[in-house]
Amino acid sequence: MEAAWSYLLHLEDEGEKPLDVVEEPLDFESSETLDADEQLLHLNDGAKLIICMVGKPARGKSFMAAKIQRYSEWLGYRARHIETVSVRRKLFGRVEPDDFFNPNGAEMATQRGAAQEEALKESLDFLQKGGQVVIYDASNSTRERRRWVTKYVEENLVDKTDNSHNIVKYRLLWVESICENRDLIVQNFLELRKTSATTNFMEYRDLDNEQATAKFLEKLRFYDEEYEALDMENEADRQLSFIKIVEFSENLMINRVRGYMESKLVSFCMNIHTEPRAIILVRHGQSEYNLQDRIGGDPNLTEAGDQFARNLAKFVEERAPHGLQIEDDEMVSGSDAYSFNPGKDLFVWTSTLKRTVGTTKYCKCRANVQWTALGEIDAGVCECMTYTEFKTKLTSQYMKRQQNKASWRYPGGESYIDVKKRLEPLIFELERQRKPILICSHRAVLRCLYSYFFGISIKECPFLPFPLHTALVLTPTSSGWNEERIPLAPNIGDTGAHEQDVQAAAAKILKSQAKRRKLREETKK
Ligand code: F6P
C-alpha cells in the first residue's frame, strides 16, 4: 500500500500547488459544456440526429421516445424529447373535441398541422442551439406528412450558434411502433390517462375506464382510415432510414440504418418493452471497510451488514406478493401487475465481490448472476486507503476529484465515465428482462445506473445520495420510472471523512434538480 501511496505523493510534489478549498467549487447549472460529456461521445461524427416517431396513438411511441432520450443522454449526447401532444394541447386547449382527428374536418386539420409545425420548429431550435439528438414525437402517420417533415428539416435546419447560418449536418431516422393487440393498446391508454391526467386527456376526466376506453377507440377509427405504415415494398419508404418495431419488439425491421448512434439504437429498441416489472437497487450491507472508511477492496460484511442481508431477504419476501408496491396504490397497472414469487421469478445480480454476494445470500431467487461489470469503481493506487488518508495526504488529488469527479480517473483505476461505459451491456440486459431484478452493487456503480433511469447528467451522477441499508424500488411508468426508497434495519448511517463532502454536493444537486423540474412543469402547462 505504501508503494501505491508514494506514487500519488509524488504527483502531489510534482503537481501544481494544491488547490485551495473553494467554498462553492461545483456548478451544476452549466453541465452542458462539460468536457466529461465529450469524453462519452467517442465515435460521434458531429451530425445531429433527428428521430421522428411514427405510429397511431397509445402504441408506446412516447414511452419509447422517452427511453431513447434518456439513453442518448446517458451516452453523453444533449438530447430532448418533444411531444406534439403537449404542444397541441398548450395551443388549442386541454380538452380535445371528439372529431379532432377526423381527416375530413378542415378546421381540426389546420390545428393539427399548426401543432405539428410548432413542435418540429421547437425540435430544430434545440438542435440549432447546440442540441445533438432530438426525438420528434408525433404520429407522422401518412407519407405526405413524412415528406413534409423531411422537407421542413431540409429547409430550416441552419446553425444558430453563431451568425454563419451554415447548413447543419444531420441524419433523419424514423422509428415506427406498430401494435394491433387491442388489450395492449387499451392498457397503454389507461396508463397514459392516469399518469398524465393533469396535463393531457382532460376530455376523459369524468368518465369511468369503460366509457373512456370506448370513447378512445372511437377516436382511433379516424387514424385507421388514413394511416400508412412504413413499408419495404414502397419505393418512397425504401429511401428512408427507419426502424419498425412490431408489437413492442416481437418483430423488428431495419432499413438503411447508418451511423454509430443509430446502430446502437437498433439494439436498444430490440430490448425495450412495456411490461411491468420491478427493479430493486441496493448497496451491499455494511462492510468492514465501511466501518474503517476505506475505499474499495474486497472486505467481508460486518455483523450489522449480515443483519441487513437477512432483512433484505425478508423485505423482498414480504412485499413480493404486493409487487413491492404497497404504499403506492395509485400505481396505474395495479399492484397485481408487479406481484411475484421470489423463488420462481426474482433475478439477483451482484458484483463478484464478497460484500454483495454475502448481502444477497439469504434471498430466494430464480437465479443469482455475478457480473464483473457491477464491481465498485476501481480506485487504482488508492484502493484500500482510508478517505482521511486520501484527503489529508493527497489533498490536491482529492480536491481535483471533487471538482471533476465524472472524468477524474484514479491513477491505475477508473473514472465515473469508465464505470458508465462498462455498464452499457448491463443496461441493455436490464431493459430486456421481463422478470423482477434485485441488483446488489456498490455506491459508484449504483449512482451510474440510477442516472440512466432518471436522466441525471454525468456531472451530477458522482454525487447522488445512495445510503447503505436502503432498498430503492423502481417501477416503470408511461414516461419513466417511479422510485420508492425504503430504509431497512439496522440503521447505521453513513459517516466518515468523505461523507460530508458528498452530502453537501448532493444537497446542491437536489436543489438544482427541483429547480429544473419546476421549470419543466411550468413549460408543460
Ligand atoms: O466508500 C464506499 C465506496 O463504495 C468506495 O469503495 C468507493 O470508492 C466509493 O464508495 C465511491 O464513492 P465516491 O465516488 O463518492 O468516492
Side-chain angles (χ1 to χ4, degrees):
M1 217 183 318
E2 205 49 44
W5 276 46
S6 55
Y7 170 73
L8 266 186
L9 284 170
H10 170 74
L11 283 185
E12 288 282 302
D13 294 343
E14 295 276 300
E16 319 101 55
K17 243 170 60 172
L19 299 176
D20 290 335
V21 179
V22 200
E23 264 294 282
E24 298 255 322
L26 302 159
D27 171 15
F28 294 113
E29 302 299 325
S30 60
S31 55
E32 305 250 303
T33 52
L34 186 77
D35 64 349
D37 291 346
E38 309 305 326
Q39 286 195 33
L40 281 166
L41 290 175
H42 43 131
L43 304 182
N44 177 27
D45 64 359
K48 313 266 180 189
L49 182 59
I50 306 164
I51 299 170
C52 299
M53 304 305 292
V54 179
K56 298 177 193 173
R59 268 38 181 208
K61 286 193 306 295
S62 298
F63 175 85
M64 283 179 196
K67 273 197 184 283
I68 292 174
Q69 189 238 352
R70 274 196 304 276
Y71 175 59
S72 311
E73 273 194 337
W74 198 75
L75 288 174
Y77 295 91
R78 283 187 281 283
R80 189 163 295 169
H81 169 200
I82 295 186
E83 290 176 282
T84 310
V85 63
S86 305
V87 174
R88 194 171 68 221
R89 290 183 189 249
K90 208 152 77 182
L91 290 178
F92 303 112
R94 303 260 167 236
V95 181
E96 244 162 29
D98 288 351
D99 64 341
F100 194 80
F101 295 105
N102 185 345
N104 304 317
E107 190 195 338
M108 296 302 146
T110 312
Q111 289 193 3
R112 287 199 310 271
Q116 283 156 352
E117 180 161 350
E118 183 57 31
L120 188 54
K121 195 164 150 277
E122 248 183 64
S123 305
L124 301 195
D125 209 49
F126 169 68
L127 295 180
Q128 283 159 335
K129 292 182 180 156
Q132 293 158 311
V133 177
V134 79
I135 303 114
Y136 171 56
D137 185 1
S139 57
N140 294 315
S141 53
T142 61
R143 290 203 174 90
E144 191 194 325
R145 175 55 44 188
R146 297 193 284 266
R147 260 194 305 273
W148 173 82
V149 171
T150 310
K151 193 154 174 276
Y152 189 94
V153 174
E154 234 170 62
E155 289 172 357
N156 292 286
L157 191 55
V158 289
D159 195 349
K160 283 192 187 161
T161 50
D162 52 26
N163 289 327
S164 65
H165 281 61
N166 286 332
I167 301 295
V168 173
K169 196 170 152 198
Y170 70 90
R171 283 194 297 270
L172 228 153
L173 173 71
W174 301 88
V175 176
E176 181 180 33
S177 174
I178 295 273
C179 173
E180 291 312 325
N181 178 331
R182 193 180 173 282
D183 291 347
L184 270 180
I185 296 168
V186 170
Q187 184 192 320
N188 202 12
F189 161 68
L190 291 176
E191 176 143 350
L192 281 168
R193 160 170 122 106
K194 191 135 188 186
T195 47
S196 26
T198 52
T199 46
N200 291 326
F201 296 99
M202 297 293 263
E203 60 274 23
Y204 301 95
R205 196 178 28 188
D206 302 322
L207 306 180
D208 63 24
N209 275 355
E210 209 172 307
Q211 291 166 326
T213 304
K215 185 179 167 105
F216 177 70
L217 291 175
E218 189 58 29
K219 260 192 189 183
L220 281 189
R221 279 194 316 111
F222 290 128
Y223 269 91
D224 293 337
E225 273 177 38
E226 63 157 16
Y227 191 75
E228 290 170 314
L230 287 162
D231 183 359
M232 296 280 194
E233 303 296 312
N234 180 284
E235 183 51 34
D237 288 356
R238 263 209 310 275
Q239 305 310 313
L240 305 178
S241 169
F242 69 78
I243 306 175
K244 182 180 175 109
I245 302 157
V246 183
E247 307 289 343
F248 298 110
S249 0
E250 278 298 298
N251 233 307
L252 210 79
M253 273 165 244
I254 299 153
N255 188 58
R256 287 180 175 251
V257 172
R258 305 197 172 97
Y260 172 73
M261 180 61 187
E262 290 95 313
S263 61
K264 274 181 170 295
L265 280 179
V266 171
S267 345
F268 184 70
C269 289
M270 278 170 78
N271 290 304
I272 53 181
H273 61 84
T274 51
E275 277 178 39
R277 45 72 196 256
I279 295 175
I280 311 168
L281 302 181
V282 70
R283 274 175 82 184
H284 53 81
Q286 186 191 52
S287 72
E288 285 160 357
Y289 273 21
N290 290 135
L291 260 189
Q292 298 159 13
D293 204 24
R294 283 188 194 280
I295 298 168
D298 190 13
N300 286 313
L301 290 179
T302 61
E303 236 177 87
D306 185 69
Q307 196 50 51
F308 167 74
R310 290 172 199 274
N311 290 337
L312 177 65
K314 213 161 120 215
F315 161 78
V316 173
E317 238 175 280
E318 278 172 10
R319 286 188 58 170
H322 310 283
L324 304 161
Q325 281 287 329
I326 54 175
E327 272 162 36
D328 187 2
D329 55 15
E330 279 295 292
M331 279 309 294
V332 182
S333 314
S335 302
D336 282 356
Y338 293 92
S339 80
F340 64 93
N341 172 347
K344 210 165 129 260
D345 300 319
L346 183 69
F347 279 98
V348 171
W349 292 0
T350 67
S351 69
T352 55
L353 298 169
K354 287 190 288 199
R355 54 197 188 278
T356 57
V357 175
T359 301
T360 55
K361 74 175 176 201
Y362 304 110
C363 286
K364 285 192 188 147
C365 64
R366 178 190 177 106
N368 193 316
V369 187
Q370 292 182 12
W371 292 73
T372 46
L374 283 175
E376 182 52 305
I377 188 168
D378 182 347
V381 297
C382 291
E383 277 288 310
C384 306
M385 210 182 253
T386 67
Y387 273 110
T388 309
E389 287 162 348
F390 185 13
K391 243 183 126 167
T392 54
K393 300 201 170 148
L394 306 164
T395 312
S396 79
Q397 296 300 315
Y398 181 84
M399 286 308 296
K400 276 184 189 158
R401 179 165 195 259
Q402 284 300 100
Q403 286 177 330
N404 197 358
K405 218 170 159 187
S407 53
W408 189 87
R409 182 180 277 140
Y410 278 107
E414 291 178 305
S415 66
Y416 269 81
I417 289 177
D418 296 328
V419 175
K420 263 189 134 179
K421 283 184 185 161
R422 74 160 133 98
L423 284 173
E424 212 186 327
L426 194 129
I427 295 279
F428 278 40
E429 189 54 21
L430 253 180
E431 287 292 358
R432 197 180 68 81
Q433 281 296 337
R434 283 153 205 255
K435 296 279 183 197
I437 305 179
L438 165 69
I439 302 180
C440 180
S441 180
H442 308 263
R443 179 155 66 179
V445 171
L446 290 169
R447 280 174 173 156
C448 292
L449 288 178
Y450 183 92
S451 307
Y452 167 70
F453 289 115
F454 292 96
I456 309 285
S457 77
I458 180 64
K459 195 174 181 188
E460 294 174 345
C461 157
F463 298 97
L464 288 170
F466 233 109
L468 286 168
H469 296 191
T470 305
L472 217 142
V473 179
L474 308 183
T475 40
T477 68
S478 58
S479 57
W481 293 85
N482 236 359
E483 137 180 11
E484 193 192 352
R485 281 178 188 237
I486 303 117
L488 297 175
N491 177 3
I492 45 158
D494 269 331
T495 51
H498 177 57
E499 222 43 54
Q500 267 183 354
D501 297 342
V502 172
Q503 278 170 21
K508 276 193 200 167
I509 291 176
L510 290 178
K511 215 166 118 192
S512 96
Q513 270 176 359
K515 206 164 124 191
R516 279 204 303 264
R517 203 173 307 125
K518 203 166 148 218
L519 211 80
R520 255 203 314 272
E521 272 156 22
E522 273 168 15
T523 48
K524 266 196 169 178
K525 274 182 199 155

